[in-house]
Amino acid sequence: MPQTPADPAVREHARHTDGKLSRERMLACALEIIDREGVEKLSMRRLARALDHDPMSLYRYAANKAALLDGVAETVLGQLTVDSADPDWAAQLRAVARDYRRLALEHPNVVPLLVTRPLATPLALRPRGTLRPLEAVLTLLTRAGFDGPGALHIYRALFGFLNGHVLDELQELVDNPEETDDLLRLGLHRLPLGEFPLLRSLATALATYDGAAELERGLDILLTGLTTTPTPRPGKPTNAGHGHRTPRTTTGAGRRKSSGMETENRKGKAPSPH
């Protein structure tokens, strides 16, 4: 009589699946392992054991662990909702930010994948699911009247802030949980008072960190900065945000661009879409 498997991932999938292997089931199981034990504990062999399949069968759906991790990131980002038809683009970006934070808190061990995996993979080679939030946000903003580069600038500003925020919120601050004094609880008493007077004085503020409130405050600053630029009007796109690098469209720019295209064509390369 077969014994009940000890691996929680095995028990979970024994209850909820019919045993047939698919990419979706494989990625769901991989996500469960990462959620429970971290990315470093995931391997093709461990995943195969949890799925009760031969390890070689997994390579039909993921060529290697890197592809598997990309798929897990795609699975999580596939749960991010963006309403591209929302007429209030700023309110929609705020809703997207809240949803992104929710996913990060539900899957904290996946956050490093969301932040770092894109850096290891060229844009066009990333799983399509990881690019859909980008396309949806660009659609939202261009419908609101921003030009393409301006919309991309806003997307980068938003997700740069969000990634920094969730990493900051998930970091471990408490050093001595049993202590009631914030300075001792965070271990800041170890820092020399003469060198770190301000940091030590902020012990209570650090100990009472409210991630949701900090997110809203950061979004207020970010979105206020974006909405104080010229209001986007349908049919008349505008650049978004200060510091946006305007594309070369001034006098002579067309000639420079054409020259660049001719140079690339002479080298036998297609012009870069940037």
Side-chain angles (χ1 to χ4, degrees), residues 49-62:
R49 186 171 68 250
L51 291 166
D52 195 25
H53 277 267
D54 184 84
M56 294 306 296
S57 66
L58 303 186
Y59 290 96
R60 176 182 177 186
Y61 302 102

Side-chain angles (χ1 to χ4, degrees), residues 255-274:
R255 289 194 296 273
R256 287 195 299 272
K257 187 175 182 181
S258 297
S259 176
M261 291 174 67
E262 291 169 2
T263 301
E264 288 186 286
N265 287 334
R266 283 198 298 271
K267 292 179 180 179
K269 296 179 180 179
S272 170
H274 302 289

Side-chain angles (χ1 to χ4, degrees), residues 176-195:
N176 300 300
E178 298 80 12
E179 293 287 351
T180 56
D181 181 272
D182 292 330
L183 191 70
L184 299 176
R185 190 163 179 263
L186 301 185
L188 295 180
H189 62 285
R190 297 191 182 92
L191 302 179
L193 180 59
E195 293 183 50

Side-chain angles (χ1 to χ4, degrees), residues 161-182:
F161 161 69
L162 287 177
N163 286 334
H165 172 84
V166 296
L167 287 173
D168 190 53
E169 183 170 359
L170 292 172
Q171 69 177 318
E172 182 60 62
L173 292 178
V174 177
D175 182 44
N176 300 300
E178 298 80 12
E179 293 287 351
T180 56
D181 181 272
D182 292 330

Side-chain angles (χ1 to χ4, degrees), residues 4-184:
T4 303
D7 192 326
V10 176
R11 293 198 301 269
E12 184 71 18
H13 282 273
R15 286 198 303 268
H16 298 291
T17 66
D18 58 4
K20 184 177 180 181
L21 186 62
S22 66
R23 184 174 186 270
E24 291 74 18
R25 183 188 168 210
M26 179 187 73
L27 294 178
C29 185
L31 178 58
E32 287 179 15
I33 293 173
I34 291 175
D35 281 343
R36 285 192 178 97
E37 302 171 40
V39 174
E40 65 281 357
K41 295 296 184 180
L42 178 66
S43 67
M44 299 299 263
R45 186 172 296 278
R46 169 69 189 283
L47 182 58
R49 186 171 68 250
L51 291 166
D52 195 25
H53 277 267
D54 184 84
M56 294 306 296
S57 66
L58 303 186
Y59 290 96
R60 176 182 177 186
Y61 302 102
N64 47 43
K65 185 176 178 179
L68 182 62
L69 295 179
D70 283 340
V72 171
E74 182 180 26
T75 297
V76 174
L77 285 176
Q79 302 172 49
L80 183 65
T81 302
V82 183
D83 181 3
S84 300
D86 192 336
D88 189 340
W89 63 270
Q92 180 58 209
L93 291 185
R94 189 179 290 272
V96 170
R98 291 168 179 165
D99 200 27
Y100 189 80
R101 174 179 177 267
R102 175 188 63 79
L103 289 171
L105 295 182
E106 288 179 0
H107 306 285
N109 290 335
V110 179
V111 169
L113 300 182
L114 303 181
V115 176
T116 63
R117 287 303 301 169
L119 302 177
T121 311
L123 188 67
L125 298 181
R126 297 174 197 170
R128 302 290 172 83
T130 64
L131 298 177
R132 290 193 179 98
L134 168 58
E135 183 69 19
V137 170
L138 294 178
T139 301
L140 170 73
L141 294 171
T142 52
R143 284 180 175 175
F146 291 98
D147 64 7
L152 184 60
H153 171 73
I154 294 175
Y155 173 87
R156 287 170 171 163
L158 175 66
F159 277 86
F161 161 69
L162 287 177
N163 286 334
H165 172 84
V166 296
L167 287 173
D168 190 53
E169 183 170 359
L170 292 172
Q171 69 177 318
E172 182 60 62
L173 292 178
V174 177
D175 182 44
N176 300 300
E178 298 80 12
E179 293 287 351
T180 56
D181 181 272
D182 292 330
L183 191 70
L184 299 176

